[in-house]
Amino acid sequence: MKKAIFEYDMKVRDYECDVQGHVNNANYQHYFEATRHEFLESVGLNFYSLHQQGIDAVVSRVEIRYKQPLHGMDEFRCTVARIERVGLKYIFHQEILRIKDEALCAKAKIEVVCLVNGKLSRPDIFDEAFKMYDDRRL
């Protein structure tokens, strides 16, 4: 398996679980988003600072496939496995792996578009930051 371009370790908090003791499905989106924000930081982009400049990365579509449930106190690794640029959007391919057994718990395709001062725009600032990771090698 190809190494992810970014990894971020986290731990399930008990309040994120449903009555069956599994992480509630909505929390996986939080995990994926936190990891994307940390990835942005790692390439020199701060989500809040970008917003202050009128540049917003906005999720336009989410597809998550749940494989195995996470439970309370599980430690897990959320990754950005790869990113690709298609037209005006970036697609983040992400995975969540339980650390103790490396089980794939969820995988996602998250589509993100760039708004500049509220208008859909070319993601130039992201192109520059992601050029070493983009599948098309911008």
Side-chain angles (χ1 to χ4, degrees):
M1 183 163 78
K2 191 174 172 184
K3 178 146 173 61
I5 61 174
F6 185 78
E7 299 178 343
Y8 187 58
D9 290 354
M10 290 182 259
K11 186 176 187 178
V12 174
R13 295 160 292 221
D14 58 350
Y15 62 83
E16 296 171 329
C17 297
D18 58 24
V19 72
Q20 293 92 10
H22 303 140
V23 168
N24 179 278
N25 67 82
N27 286 307
Y28 288 84
Q29 285 197 55
H30 293 265
Y31 302 153
F32 288 127
E33 184 168 21
T35 300
R36 286 192 310 280
H37 284 225
E38 292 294 328
F39 172 69
L40 286 177
E41 288 275 348
S42 78
V43 296
L45 299 174
N46 176 277
F47 200 78
Y48 183 74
S49 294
L50 289 170
H51 175 73
Q52 295 299 103
Q53 299 169 52
I55 302 168
D56 293 298
V58 178
V59 172
S60 61
R61 180 182 167 107
V62 174
E63 178 183 319
I64 300 174
R65 298 194 53 96
Y66 301 97
K67 301 293 192 174
Q68 291 193 29
L70 285 168
H71 298 92
M73 305 311 287
D74 276 347
E75 294 179 343
F76 63 95
R77 178 166 293 123
C78 190
T79 72
V80 175
R82 65 186 179 92
I83 56 177
E84 62 180 311
R85 167 113 179 270
V86 178
L88 293 177
K89 65 187 168 197
Y90 268 101
I91 301 172
F92 289 78
H93 297 266
Q94 294 186 256
E95 296 179 342
I96 292 176
L97 305 156
R98 190 171 40 235
I99 290 175
K100 70 180 175 187
D101 60 1
E102 297 184 20
L104 177 63
C105 297
K107 60 190 308 183
K109 282 179 31 178
I110 316 272
E111 295 181 8
V112 176
V113 295
C114 181
L115 302 179
V116 176
N117 298 317
K119 295 182 182 177
L120 184 62
S121 301
R122 285 184 43 86
D124 295 332
I125 193 165
F126 299 105
D127 287 347
E128 182 61 30
F130 300 162
K131 67 183 173 188
M132 68 184 350
Y133 303 112
D134 184 40
D135 282 355
R136 295 180 326 153
R137 304 291 181 240
L138 294 173

